[in-house]
Amino acid sequence: MKKMTKHALATALGTSLIFTSVVPAIQAQEVTPNISNWAIETLNEGEKYGIFPLEWYYEGFRTTISTERLNALIDLTEKKIANLNLAKNEQFTPAVVKGNSTRGDIVNRLYNIVAQYDVEAGNNSVEYLQQRQVLIGSDKGLMLDELASTQDAVILAVRLIKDTYALTEQGAKGVAWVVEDEDTKIYLLGSIHLGIPDLYPFNKKLTDAFNESEGLFVEANILDPEGMSYFAEKAMYSDGTTIQEVISEEAYSKLEKVAEKLEISIDELAIQKPWLISNQLSLLTMDDSFGLTYEEMAMHGIDMQFLLSALLQQKPIYELEGTKAQADLFDSLSAEAQEKELVSVLDSILEPKGQTEESIELLASWFDSWKNGDVEGFKESFTEMEGEPTEFNQMLFGKRDEEMAKKIVSVLEEDQGTYFLVVGAGHFLVDKNIRYHLEQSGYKVVPFYE
């Protein structure tokens, strides 16, 4: 397992959304996945639950599910439901399972997962799953005797998990607030830019707030190709300059050693600016920390999920800053500040000093606090990592929070309607954060779960 210092972890998480222009794997593959249009939104959410690998999209997703796949799906679905720690149903009588991979048999297997708990599931699997709108069917009926495709089975499992979490009023709550005036309401959600399956599904109250909103506000829309293209151009030298000419000989020597250790071509790093390299390397060090690659953790990020949901629901996406503005912000850092951050990350890779467990525990505590809606716990854990007020730290927060708050105030004053806003949780928790500036402007910011 690769290691990193607490400061490097802070760097990675503070900027990971900006530097991870990851789109869903289904968009990144050269081969178009065979997915029904009506299923895309449900599957997108289900991806985050960790109950099926994305590779299934490209290997007979709409053909009859294999026994091996079905057993894996059922097993992971059962574990997801077990995480709810529900009381057992002492009167439970399992539905008969024949093991023939028909839709009806899968319905029985899924029913047995939830009916063993005290959720008032009755005694009829088909009736219960229809009632809960897990089993919907089509104009051809329920087709219970038909062999199920992988897509059929996954859709049923995703719906069952989402419904059971909603039925039992569970699901990740997030750290959230509400600000409003006479005719405008804005839900404020503090996010973590990286995530894990344990953060999904979200609490129904949170998703209902998003679904009722008329638009989504984010720091930057990283699904916008024009903005990402500008960011990539800004992060690279285009005049023949190389990183070796910009940083000290000592720093470059460390960079060479890290490149060799991580098996990265030094030639690929040569035209990247220090601020890009430091953040890319910070993300790379997080590989396998939670059994996921950093790309997978980025895909599980809260911001990414809401961006994709807005895209699929055709909600307008508004930027508080924008990818171009963020690129300019990082590029404005002094050469000294850029090298200082780069050296800090390089040192954390070359000399981890046994801080891996501390760093992972810190991130895990963020996940737990976010999942439980524990604002104070998250704030306490977050402020633990705050170091000296460096140029880099001042760039991440401070003026940015004040400017984002001004944008929110302008929406409250000039617009009407309901909006959902997602920015990094730190922007709501540090000293003189967004909430502070909103209250200074005369607005009351109240907890979402009051």
Side-chain angles (χ1 to χ4, degrees):
M1 182 183 292
K2 302 180 182 73
K3 302 179 180 181
M4 65 190 305
T5 65
K6 183 183 289 188
H7 178 72
L9 175 66
T11 299
L13 297 180
T15 59
S16 58
L17 178 66
I18 303 171
F19 291 96
T20 313
S21 55
V22 178
V23 296
I26 59 173
Q27 296 179 7
Q29 299 284 341
E30 293 181 1
V31 181
T32 303
N34 190 12
I35 301 172
S36 299
N37 288 334
W38 59 267
I40 292 176
E41 187 170 356
T42 302
L43 292 172
N44 170 62
E45 183 169 356
E47 291 168 15
K48 311 302 185 296
Y49 295 179
I51 60 172
F52 71 99
L54 300 183
E55 288 78 10
W56 283 9
Y57 283 137
Y58 305 94
E59 302 169 1
F61 198 62
R62 293 175 69 181
T63 58
T64 302
I65 190 169
S66 67
T67 301
E68 181 181 8
R69 276 191 183 183
L70 180 56
N71 288 340
L73 178 67
I74 293 296
D75 181 57
L76 291 171
T77 300
E78 189 165 14
K79 290 178 180 177
K80 196 75 176 177
I81 298 297
N83 288 339
L84 293 171
N85 297 314
L86 302 174
K88 288 287 188 176
N89 174 13
E90 300 299 334
Q91 308 302 317
F92 169 60
T93 301
V96 176
V97 174
K98 299 178 180 178
N100 56 17
S101 298
T102 61
R103 285 170 55 86
D105 212 46
I106 292 172
V107 163
N108 286 346
R109 292 184 70 172
L110 292 173
Y111 168 81
N112 288 343
I113 291 175
V114 294
Q116 65 180 301
Y117 299 106
D118 189 14
V119 294
E120 299 182 4
N123 299 309
N124 187 303
S125 61
V126 173
E127 183 178 295
Y128 177 73
L129 265 66
Q130 277 192 292
Q131 173 193 340
R132 300 305 308 171
Q133 294 189 317
V134 173
L135 177 64
I136 297 175
S138 66
D139 55 0
K140 296 180 182 180
L142 299 179
M143 300 181 290
L144 298 178
D145 295 326
E146 298 290 327
L147 291 174
S149 66
T150 298
Q151 176 176 280
D152 291 335
V154 169
I155 288 289
L156 290 170
V158 171
R159 288 176 181 164
L160 181 80
I161 291 170
K162 183 176 182 178
D163 176 71
T164 307
Y165 272 69
L167 180 67
T168 57
E169 298 183 349
Q170 296 200 48
K173 291 183 174 182
V175 289
W177 300 264
V178 185
V179 61
E180 58 186 316
D181 63 8
E182 304 81 29
D183 53 13
T184 309
K185 176 185 287 187
I186 304 178
Y187 297 107
L188 308 171
L189 178 66
S191 79
I192 307 175
H193 299 324
L194 303 177
I196 55 176
D198 198 39
L199 297 179
Y200 295 87
F202 297 149
N203 186 277
K204 186 175 185 296
K205 183 175 180 181
L206 191 64
T207 55
D208 283 348
F210 172 75
N211 291 335
E212 77 175 46
S213 69
E214 298 162 36
L216 172 69
F217 281 89
V218 291
E219 294 174 41
N221 180 6
I222 61 173
L223 301 182
D224 172 30
E226 182 180 343
M228 291 311 301
S229 177
Y230 178 90
F231 192 95
E233 291 176 5
K234 200 74 173 180
M236 305 285 186
Y237 295 114
S238 58
D239 58 359
T241 301
T242 66
I243 187 68
Q244 187 173 10
E245 301 170 49
V246 175
I247 60 178
S248 68
E249 183 177 337
E250 181 183 4
Y252 185 75
S253 177
K254 290 181 178 181
L255 180 61
E256 287 183 307
K257 292 176 182 177
V258 167
E260 181 179 358
K261 183 175 183 178
L262 300 182
E263 298 181 349
I264 302 172
S265 169
I266 191 67
D267 292 334
E268 292 181 6
L269 299 174
I271 61 171
Q272 296 181 21
K273 294 181 180 179
W275 57 266
L276 176 63
I277 296 175
S278 60
N279 285 280
Q280 296 280 40
L281 292 179
S282 294
L283 288 168
L284 283 173
T285 60
M286 302 202 67
D287 263 0
D288 299 326
S289 296
F290 291 84
L292 301 173
T293 65
Y294 82 91
E295 292 98 337
E296 290 169 332
M297 292 183 71
M299 287 181 64
H300 281 80
I302 310 305
D303 313 71
M304 179 62 78
Q305 175 59 17
F306 281 106
L307 274 168
L308 290 171
S309 294
L311 191 68
L312 292 169
Q313 293 183 25
Q314 298 185 321
K315 289 184 187 291
I317 299 173
Y318 307 104
E319 297 180 308
L320 291 176
E321 294 179 318
T323 313
K324 293 182 179 181
Q326 289 185 340
D328 291 340
L329 192 67
F330 279 92
D331 205 48
S332 68
L333 282 168
S334 68
E336 292 76 15
Q338 290 190 43
E339 179 165 335
K340 184 177 181 179
E341 288 302 317
L342 176 58
V343 170
S344 174
V345 173
L346 295 174
D347 286 343
S348 73
I349 298 171
L350 295 172
E351 301 176 23
K353 299 179 182 178
Q355 293 180 319
T356 299
E357 294 305 320
E358 182 183 6
S359 299
I360 298 308
E361 286 175 7
L362 178 63
L363 182 53
S365 72
W366 291 7
F367 290 152
D368 286 342
S369 294
W370 201 93
K371 179 181 176 180
N372 297 321
D374 181 4
V375 176
E376 290 306 312
F378 197 115
K379 181 178 180 179
E380 180 180 350
S381 179
F382 187 86
T383 53
E384 277 183 20
M385 72 170 198
E386 289 188 285
E388 59 186 85
T390 64
E391 180 183 340
F392 185 87
N393 290 338
Q394 291 174 336
M395 178 273 294
L396 278 183
F397 300 104
K399 188 65 175 178
R400 289 182 65 203
D401 293 339
E402 183 179 359
E403 292 302 317
M404 284 193 280
K406 287 180 181 179
K407 291 281 185 69
I408 297 170
V409 169
S410 69
V411 174
L412 290 167
E413 292 178 346
E414 300 171 13
D415 291 20
Q416 297 180 356
T418 301
Y419 300 94
F420 199 89
L421 183 147
V422 184
V423 300
H427 296 291
F428 292 116
L429 301 175
V430 297
D431 186 41
K432 294 187 177 179
N433 55 55
I434 289 176
R435 289 187 293 145
Y436 166 84
H437 290 294
L438 289 174
E439 289 168 350
Q440 289 296 301
S441 297
Y443 291 95
K444 186 177 180 180
V445 182
V446 300
F448 177 74
Y449 291 100
E450 259 194 353

